[in-house]
Amino acid sequence: MKLLAARRRHPMALVVLLLVGLLMTGGAYAVFTTNSTASAEEYTAQDVEEGEKLFVTNCATCHGMNAEGTENGPGLVGVGAAAVDFQVGTGRMPLQMSGPQAQVKTPQFSEEQISQMSAYVASLGPGPAVPEDEYLDASQGDPAAGGGLFRTNCAMCHNVVGSGGALTRGKYAPNLSEVSEKHLYEAMQTGPQNMPIFNDANLTPEQKRDVIAYVREVSEQPSAGGAKLGSLGPVAEGLFIWFFGLAAVIGITVWLSARSK
Amino acid sequence: MTSKQHTAEHGSQLEQVNGFTNPGIPEHKPRVTDSSPAAERMAERQIAGWFILSMIGTLWFIVSYFLFPIEDGSMGSIRLQNAMLGLGATLALFSIGVGIVLWAKTLITDVEVVESRHDIAGSEEDQAIALEIINQAKEESGIARRPLLRNTLIAAVAIAPLPALLVFRDLGPLPGDSLFKTLWGPGVRLVQDPGMVPHEDRYIRAEDVTIGSAFHVIPEKMYESEHPLNEKAKAAVLLMRIDPQELNTDPAKEDWGVDGIVAYSKICTHVGCPVALYEHQTHHLLCPCHQSTFDVTNHCAVIFGPAKRPLPQLPIAVDDEGYLVAQRDFVDPVGPTFWEINTRETSEQ
């Protein structure tokens, strides 16, 4: 620190600061890819049986022994396999701690166990099933049509390119860029947390696929103008200029008007 | 242009100006470069160094143009080249500036100099000439002798801007009752907002609106109207279904919903942003612009934020074919409050 403090007023310090700022602006960003392996499953009686065991040991404390719901958790009769696959598959359930909303974390169960739990909950009452692969293939969707639907139905919470946004009292709409196609579909279908439900009459499976295609398209689009700053729009960009741009301007002004020793 | 120019007697001119003592110019302190030839040479080398750095920047720009070519429009190569060219250009221009400023600060003489402004008033001689010209013009034009000409000229100039006032009318018709009316009316079907010009309207069946659903709705045939987007800006509606037991329905508006399905204007009553952040568990509707929050279970009463009026509710019903329709237009005007909002009794129709 002493070294840093000593060099603070060095004539080169300004140049170094400026270079750091420039490099950060033009800095590289990582391209990510997500793969999804979803399938509409046929559940066997054994799946249901195994699922019930898992449910009783892991979920029943809050959701009740027969998934009828308790003060601490909603009833799960009729929520369907899609809801279980989404909530457990994204690690939101089992809930780590109570709070404004469930957090994403590494899933605690294997694909097979999640499928068994889905089978059990699906057996309790009719509800949306895990989507078929056909509707998860973003390459078959129409990103332009999906963009129209996204801006009408999703963008107010999730931001126009799905970067997420704040809701009331600590709740928030998550960033969608790294959510798998299957989980995007299931979220629309089941309306997790405070998200409204978009059933098949509202957005048809084909339209949901268009929405997925749009989300994939915008989140994988490279940014020609340097760092995206989270695609959060004018606030993030304004803050960057406010802190770094203005600081540079003030620094140069002070240096210009300072008397030489 | 007086003898005050180019004088700089440090601290000697202690005169009273407007009750304040003029402290004069602070004492001149010589710089290191003024007294030490070694420091002077050092500064000279430094400045030359900046100019050389600028040359390096220019060369770097040229070199990197070839070193980092754009490959097949690949975004990565475009970005790399941009960054490198930018680095070169920045070095080239910024270093020249730094060098010049350093030169001025360390080597060019910095002895303070006072340069007084000339007097604002012209010399008496100039003033006399100007007065003479004015008097001559007054005499030759006869403006003082011919009041008819003078007065008609003043009148002509005074009324000349009137036509401009007249053409303000062409800025558009007065809003009339358009702020009170939307496309909604008795029997107008609710259709889904497609986010683009649709091939055909998608009507909404009451049974399709399951609990927890939110539909973004526009009136049917909206895209056939003269100004669809203007109409949408007034008529956009959010349709939600809530467990009827959770709704605190005003008895006067008992039949405005259908079995827990309620429709509210999407246009914020604050400044007109689309209020559509619907939390289906808390039943709060949040406006993204200024965080006005409306409670859907209490007829969208404002529970937070700058909005002053609840969101207007659209009374809906189910028609013979099972589709949702409006019973009538909004009873309360939609959108931000305007001056004339209370000039009309809202209970007509």
Side-chain angles (χ1 to χ4, degrees):
Chain A
M1 282 316 286
K2 224 174 176 177
L3 190 76
L4 204 64
R7 299 281 156 91
R8 196 170 45 141
R9 296 190 190 282
H10 196 269
M12 284 302 282
L14 186 74
V15 182
V16 171
L17 252 179
L18 204 80
L19 276 183
V20 169
L22 277 170
L23 286 175
M24 271 176 66
T25 325
Y29 74 104
V31 177
F32 43 77
T33 50
T34 43
N35 290 313
S36 158
T37 50
S39 57
E41 287 151 89
E42 299 280 325
Y43 302 120
T44 63
Q46 198 192 342
D47 284 339
V48 175
E49 203 176 300
E50 290 294 322
E52 183 170 10
K53 281 183 200 161
L54 283 166
F55 183 89
V56 168
T57 46
N58 293 291
C59 320
T61 318
C62 301
H63 292 292
M65 284 303 282
N66 300 308
E68 74 279 16
T70 70
E71 277 178 18
N72 299 321
L76 299 184
V77 178
V79 299
V84 180
D85 192 65
F86 177 85
Q87 298 282 0
V88 185
T90 58
R92 285 180 167 84
M93 291 289 149
L95 203 57
Q96 200 165 34
M97 59 177 184
S98 59
Q101 72 186 45
Q103 306 285 327
V104 173
K105 61 180 186 295
T106 315
Q108 288 185 10
F109 300 97
S110 67
E111 285 286 324
E112 191 191 0
Q113 287 172 316
I114 293 170
S115 164
Q116 288 164 343
M117 276 185 271
S118 305
Y120 169 66
V121 170
S123 74
L124 299 172
V130 175
E132 290 168 34
D133 278 343
E134 182 195 346
Y135 298 118
L136 302 176
D137 184 0
S139 62
Q140 288 185 47
D142 176 355
L149 293 167
F150 191 90
R151 284 187 289 274
T152 301
N153 293 285
C154 323
M156 64 292 284
C157 297
H158 286 287
N159 159 311
V160 281
V161 291
S163 298
L167 294 171
T168 65
R169 294 172 195 178
K171 297 185 284 288
Y172 62 92
N175 185 336
L176 303 180
S177 59
E178 292 184 58
V179 181
S180 73
E181 284 84 350
K182 182 172 73 157
H183 291 147
L184 285 173
Y185 190 103
E186 288 167 348
M188 289 184 261
Q189 185 87 31
T190 63
Q193 320 284 331
N194 265 295
M195 175 168 162
I197 295 159
F198 296 91
N199 59 32
D200 287 351
N202 195 344
L203 294 178
T204 64
E206 287 80 12
Q207 287 181 316
K208 287 193 178 79
R209 184 171 63 193
D210 291 345
V211 169
I212 292 170
Y214 172 77
V215 172
R216 277 290 86 87
E217 178 76 23
V218 291
S219 42
E220 283 165 13
Q221 235 165 31
S223 156
K228 289 183 183 175
L229 300 179
S231 297
L232 289 175
V235 173
E237 288 159 17
L239 273 180
F240 181 85
I241 282 302
W242 194 252
F243 282 112
F244 292 91
L246 265 191
V249 167
I250 291 171
I252 290 173
T253 313
V254 168
W255 174 72
L256 274 176
S257 56
R259 269 183 72 94
S260 178
K261 273 185 294 218
Chain B
M1 305 298 158
T2 62
S3 60
K4 269 189 271 177
Q5 197 179 9
H6 293 300
T7 56
E9 294 173 41
H10 308 297
S12 60
Q13 294 177 315
L14 294 180
E15 48 183 321
Q16 290 270 329
V17 180
N18 294 336
F20 291 96
T21 306
N22 180 358
I25 297 165
E27 195 191 341
H28 177 70
K29 286 183 187 142
R31 298 162 300 188
V32 186
T33 45
D34 292 333
S35 50
S36 152
E40 194 183 338
R41 276 196 303 279
M42 177 74 187
E44 194 177 355
R45 278 197 297 272
Q46 249 184 24
I47 295 163
W50 279 102
F51 293 149
I52 290 167
L53 193 62
S54 163
M55 292 184 236
I56 294 174
T58 307
L59 289 177
W60 177 249
F61 187 102
I62 296 167
V63 169
S64 59
Y65 180 81
F66 297 103
L67 212 57
F68 306 100
I70 294 173
E71 291 153 359
D72 306 333
S74 110
M75 204 59 87
S77 67
I78 292 177
R79 209 164 36 228
L80 185 67
Q81 196 194 57
N82 268 345
M84 291 305 158
L85 294 184
L87 191 70
T90 307
L91 274 182
L93 298 177
F94 192 73
S95 305
I96 293 179
V98 173
I100 290 175
V101 171
L102 273 181
W103 189 350
K105 286 171 70 152
T106 56
L107 295 181
I108 296 177
T109 178
D110 69 339
V111 178
E112 292 82 356
V113 165
V114 174
E115 192 171 5
S116 298
R117 292 196 189 95
H118 63 76
D119 291 332
I120 292 173
S123 68
E124 282 181 13
E125 201 179 321
D126 290 344
Q127 291 182 23
I129 293 173
L131 199 63
E132 197 181 318
I133 291 172
I134 291 172
N135 281 330
Q136 193 187 351
K138 189 175 155 192
E139 201 52 47
E140 286 175 1
S141 65
I143 197 161
R145 281 181 289 118
R146 303 184 204 277
L148 176 67
L149 290 185
R150 185 193 62 203
N151 292 348
T152 47
L153 173 64
I154 290 174
V157 171
I159 67 162
L162 279 183
L165 285 181
L166 193 72
V167 295
F168 278 145
R169 284 173 55 90
D170 289 348
L171 287 178
L174 291 171
D177 61 357
S178 63
L179 293 174
F180 294 93
K181 285 199 166 146
T182 71
L183 275 191
W184 295 109
V188 174
R189 277 184 180 162
L190 280 66
V191 301
Q192 290 196 26
D193 181 353
M196 58 178 73
V197 182
H199 300 298
E200 55 181 15
D201 283 346
R202 281 173 71 199
Y203 304 129
I204 303 166
R205 286 185 178 278
E207 70 195 41
D208 291 340
V209 189
T210 50
I211 285 184
S213 285
F215 283 65
H216 295 260
V217 170
I218 52 177
E220 67 174 327
K221 300 195 176 96
M222 186 192 84
Y223 281 95
E224 293 166 26
S225 62
E226 199 181 349
H227 299 294
L229 294 182
N230 285 358
E231 297 299 344
K232 187 177 184 178
K234 292 190 292 178
V237 155
L238 190 66
L239 186 72
M240 296 150 284
R241 186 174 207 150
I242 295 168
D243 185 347
Q245 291 179 342
E246 291 185 56
L247 286 174
N248 303 314
T249 308
D250 178 351
K253 302 175 179 174
E254 196 80 67
D255 62 345
W256 282 20
V258 177
D259 208 15
I261 304 177
V262 286
Y264 286 94
S265 165
K266 225 164 95 174
I267 315 302
C268 188
T269 53
H270 176 221
V271 286
C273 294
V275 187
L277 284 75
Y278 172 55
E279 299 179 353
H280 93 271
Q281 288 176 347
T282 59
H283 307 306
H284 291 167
L285 254 177
L286 178 66
C287 179
C289 292
H290 305 100
Q291 284 69 52
S292 290
T293 310
F294 304 88
D295 183 358
V296 184
T297 59
N298 279 314
H299 291 289
C300 278
V302 182
I303 54 174
F304 183 80
K308 284 282 178 286
R309 293 184 294 128
L311 293 174
Q313 185 172 4
L314 182 71
I316 53 170
V318 177
D319 70 4
D320 300 339
E321 294 176 59
Y323 294 115
L324 289 170
V325 293
Q327 291 180 24
R328 47 172 296 179
D329 199 352
F330 288 104
V331 175
D332 302 309
V334 298
T337 302
F338 46 98
W339 273 354
E340 302 87 350
I341 196 162
N342 291 323
T343 58
R344 166 186 298 224
E345 282 307 310
T346 47
S347 57
E348 43 119 12
Q349 193 176 26

